[in-house]
Amino acid sequence: MLGVLSNDIAVDLGTANTLIWMKGKGIVLNEPSIVAFDRTTKKIVAIGREAQAMIGKTHKDIRTIRPLKDGVIADFEIAEGMLRAFIRKISSSWQPSRRIVVCVPSGITEVEKRAVRDSAEHAGAKEVHLIAEPMAAAIGIGLDVEAPVGNMIIDIGGGTTEIAVIALAGIVNDESIRIAGDEMTNAILQFFKKNHNILIGEPTAQGIKHEVGAAMPLDEEVQVEVRGRDLVAGVPRMTTVTSSEIREALSEPILAIVDAVKLSLERTPPELSADILDRGIMLTGGGALLRGLDERLRRETSLPVFVAEDPLTAVVRGTGKVLENLNQYSQVLIKSRRY
Ligand code: ADP
Ligand code: MG
């Protein structure tokens, strides 16, 4: 490689996954936002994929947590440790004078913004820029956010669903609900408890969601075998469920998302509604991959709905683009107050 590589980075610190973009290089890290740490020493023993493999299988001294809950930093110290460890993983020589662009949910408070800013600074950044997630997602999928045209973006992550209308480099209106992928996973977990008297772990529930979860009836309904612990007998047991049962289990969180989208459309100024009618709604985030969700939203809104290409990386690609062209995109950055 020629020349000196800049270590400026863009970070999508998601509730479910953390992605890092390095200037001139592209995506250099994509791992679950999970930390395993020693309860007594509070020392981090594993992060990312390695920590994920420990979920539900730890002994009493080790705990796995997801330090970002609902899109904001729930456990400050651990989130910071995780960010630092991820940065160390991609570059052993990360210079403290470097720049970081971090995206944050658009609805977060000044205090929450400050927590993100502080984490990035403690992780070694001298210059920290914040950008709203829906804006980053829109840029990531190649929308012209500066145009006098309305675009609706729905980003469904682990903790939050963000619905935003963007025009002229700003967010015109935005709806953020704390119902997204995690709630869907939890709905599946609860369904097994209630209807099958069986307790399953979170990774299992998430796997079922990915495999057979849907927001619309499937062309061909399928069956899955599920293993867990019998709630009455306390012993391991296997049970079989159909995809339509799982769809039923997911109906509540999906309805909440549909309702939020409708509400957001009602609040959109008419000139922008006309644009959305022409251009449709774009779905990003891992939740966009739920089978039939686009079709369901199409039916409920009568609008064109598209799943972005590679929805899981849309936000970091947009944040990276902003990092690569900071001057061009200066107006999309959040002018947050310093304390
Ligand atoms: P965040 O930005 O909060 O980190 P992501 O955009 O990375 O979230 O999305 C993670 C969520 O997407 C998780 O809840 C995960 O279960 C969900 N997800 C990923 N793939 C699929 C899929 N194929 N079907 C349904 N949900 C999915
Ligand atoms: Mg996200």
Side-chain angles (χ1 to χ4, degrees), residues 234-286:
V235 294
R237 179 161 69 84
M238 197 179 77
T239 186
T240 311
V241 289
T242 62
S243 46
S244 67
E245 281 181 276
I246 299 301
R247 191 176 67 249
E248 181 57 34
L250 290 175
S251 62
E252 227 175 278
I254 287 166
L255 190 62
I257 292 172
V258 167
D259 285 346
V261 173
K262 287 182 174 169
L263 188 66
S264 179
L265 286 166
E266 279 169 26
R267 290 184 177 160
T268 302
E271 284 301 311
L272 298 176
S273 297
D275 292 341
I276 295 167
L277 185 60
D278 286 342
R279 306 164 66 89
I281 298 174
M282 297 300 298
L283 301 181
T284 64

Side-chain angles (χ1 to χ4, degrees), residues 11-12 15 18 73 94 137 151-152 169 176 199 221 233 254 266 275:
V11 183
D12 171 6
T15 50
T18 297
I73 295 182
W94 203 66
N151 284 295
M152 181 175 266
S176 175
L199 193 64
E221 297 292 343
I254 287 166
E266 279 169 26
D275 292 341

